[in-house]
Amino acid sequence: MKSVLLVGAGNLGRRHLQSLKACQLPIRIFVVEPYEEARSLAESAYQATESNAPEKEIGFYSDLGQIDQQIDIAVVSTPASGRLEILRDVLALGAKDVVLEKVAFNSVAAIDEASALVEQYQARAWVNCPRRLNPFYQQLRRALEDDPIESFEVEGGNFGMACNAIHFLDLCAFLSRQSSYQITLAGVREVVPSKRSNYIEFFGEVAGSFESGPAFKIACHESGHGVSFTIKLVTQSAQYLIDEVNGTVEIIDAKGDRQQQGFRQPYQSELTGPLIDEIIQQQRCGLTNFTESMSLHRPFIDAAYRLYAEKYEENSLKMVPIT
């Protein structure tokens, strides 16, 4: 029986935990969450989740130091600040497979040290950018193999560009089969405190291009109308207008003919269980592998820190406070 460790059982961690209940393979679950209220909410959510999967052994703990046995798989759902230390701890507990939330790390130095740790422990690791698991995006990737993307744009309001830009960079990389890019944050007009204490948010425009195309732009504006964004892909033969919030995809061909279809991005509470089953059975999964994700993180985190230092304040760790 494999041992699965979940570190962090806040809002997103609870979704991971609910989905772990749906694992079809027998697993033993260890949940580490330092805050008693979050731990209690997570336990209640787990017990309330209905599942036809085999019953799991599960334990809740307040500190990683209370885990006194070897772990096989770790899901790290904590803020980016401090995640490097947690990665070091879970690898020392024996975890050979690790899933990290994004942004994985918020400094270039942490990216370098984490990369060295993963190599030292010969672990497999992935970063949770789950659009890669969506059947629509998988199908679109296959379609674009013979019709490459010329431009990739995301535009909307209040979608949290600082912490979510990596999701869109990852999606562009996935669809275009590229991983090396250049980026500028010169179009970011505002660096402001986030709704989450001690973090910041960006408003404005991020732009750049992948080494062999496409060009990309991510624009986020402050709005009084809630979260909205549209992803626009342009190829030689078509345009794709993807509205994840409203669940629609419009495809416009070269003749101007339009077709529309429904779209759904699965919830995290639907994804983690099948993901862990796949890791156990095949020692792989469909998320972004660690090496590729770090190559996508590095240019963005480097540029984001320089922007933060210029418009806000410097710090000795060269860490940009996003999560």
Side-chain angles (χ1 to χ4, degrees):
M1 181 183 292
K2 296 291 187 180
S3 296
V4 179
L5 171 65
L6 172 65
V7 187
N11 291 336
L12 185 53
R14 284 201 301 275
R15 305 297 174 246
H16 283 297
L17 181 58
Q18 288 175 299
S19 192
L20 284 174
K21 196 171 188 177
C23 281
Q24 296 300 310
L25 298 173
I27 60 170
R28 182 181 295 110
I29 303 172
F30 297 84
V31 182
V32 174
E33 169 53 56
Y35 295 103
E36 184 176 355
E37 182 180 3
R39 202 164 57 246
S40 177
L41 287 171
E43 185 169 6
S44 296
Y46 181 84
Q47 298 301 340
T49 300
E50 295 183 1
S51 174
N52 295 321
E55 286 292 320
K56 314 293 190 296
E57 294 181 30
I58 185 167
F60 292 82
Y61 306 85
S62 60
D63 189 89
L64 265 173
Q66 296 173 314
I67 308 299
D68 60 358
Q69 70 172 72
Q70 181 167 312
I71 296 299
D72 298 300
I73 303 170
V75 178
V76 181
S77 183
T78 60
S81 300
R83 189 173 287 143
L84 178 63
E85 289 72 22
I86 292 171
L87 175 64
R88 184 181 291 111
D89 290 343
V90 300
L91 290 172
L93 282 169
K96 286 300 182 184
D97 296 288
V98 182
V99 176
L100 301 169
E101 270 302 332
K102 60 79 211 165
V103 291
F105 306 98
N106 52 16
S107 76
V108 170
I111 289 171
D112 289 341
E113 192 166 345
S115 299
L117 281 169
V118 169
E119 183 176 355
Q120 175 189 337
Y121 282 91
Q122 298 183 317
R124 293 175 290 264
W126 301 269
V127 174
N128 189 35
C129 290
R131 286 174 174 83
R132 293 190 179 216
L133 305 180
N134 189 312
F136 168 76
Y137 285 128
Q138 293 172 349
Q139 180 183 9
L140 180 58
R141 184 176 192 254
R142 291 190 290 270
L144 294 171
E145 190 169 9
D146 297 321
D147 189 21
I149 305 171
E150 295 179 347
S151 67
F152 176 99
E153 298 181 8
V154 181
E155 185 154 5
N158 301 332
F159 61 77
M161 182 163 69
C163 62
N164 285 314
I166 194 67
H167 273 305
F168 299 119
L169 291 168
D170 184 87
L171 177 61
C172 188
F174 176 65
L175 295 176
S176 64
R177 303 169 190 263
Q178 301 288 324
S179 60
S180 178
Y181 68 94
Q182 295 182 330
I183 191 170
T184 175
L185 275 64
V188 174
R189 302 183 310 276
E190 297 178 80
V191 178
V192 300
S194 168
K195 292 178 181 178
R196 296 189 64 175
S197 180
N198 299 320
Y199 292 97
I200 52 96
E201 192 47 80
F202 298 156
F203 290 104
E205 183 180 299
V206 169
S209 62
F210 281 81
E211 193 171 85
S212 301
F216 62 84
K217 180 179 77 173
I218 305 169
C220 182
H221 313 291
E222 198 164 10
S223 167
H225 301 291
V227 175
S228 66
F229 63 89
T230 300
I231 302 170
K232 179 181 179 182
L233 310 181
V234 178
T235 72
Q236 199 167 43
S237 64
Q239 293 184 34
Y240 300 83
L241 305 177
I242 304 165
D243 184 342
E244 292 189 2
V245 176
N246 292 307
T248 62
V249 179
E250 185 173 34
I251 304 170
I252 308 168
D253 66 21
K255 298 177 183 178
D257 293 333
R258 298 169 179 260
Q259 67 177 72
Q260 192 170 85
Q261 63 186 76
F263 175 92
R264 181 175 177 273
Q265 178 61 33
Y267 297 121
Q268 190 63 57
S269 57
E270 302 170 80
L271 296 173
T272 312
L275 189 76
I276 296 301
D277 283 336
E278 184 179 12
I279 289 172
I280 292 171
Q281 291 176 316
Q282 303 183 36
Q283 291 77 57
R284 63 175 176 80
C285 72
L287 293 176
T288 318
N289 73 63
F290 185 84
T291 300
E292 180 182 359
S293 190
M294 293 308 97
S295 73
L296 294 171
H297 270 69
R298 178 185 286 274
F300 174 70
I301 294 298
D302 182 48
Y305 172 72
R306 287 188 278 109
L307 174 72
Y308 172 73
E310 174 191 336
K311 295 200 173 188
Y312 216 83
E313 63 183 7
E314 296 184 14
N315 60 65
S316 59
L317 298 175
K318 295 189 176 180
M319 180 270 291
V320 55
I322 59 178
T323 191

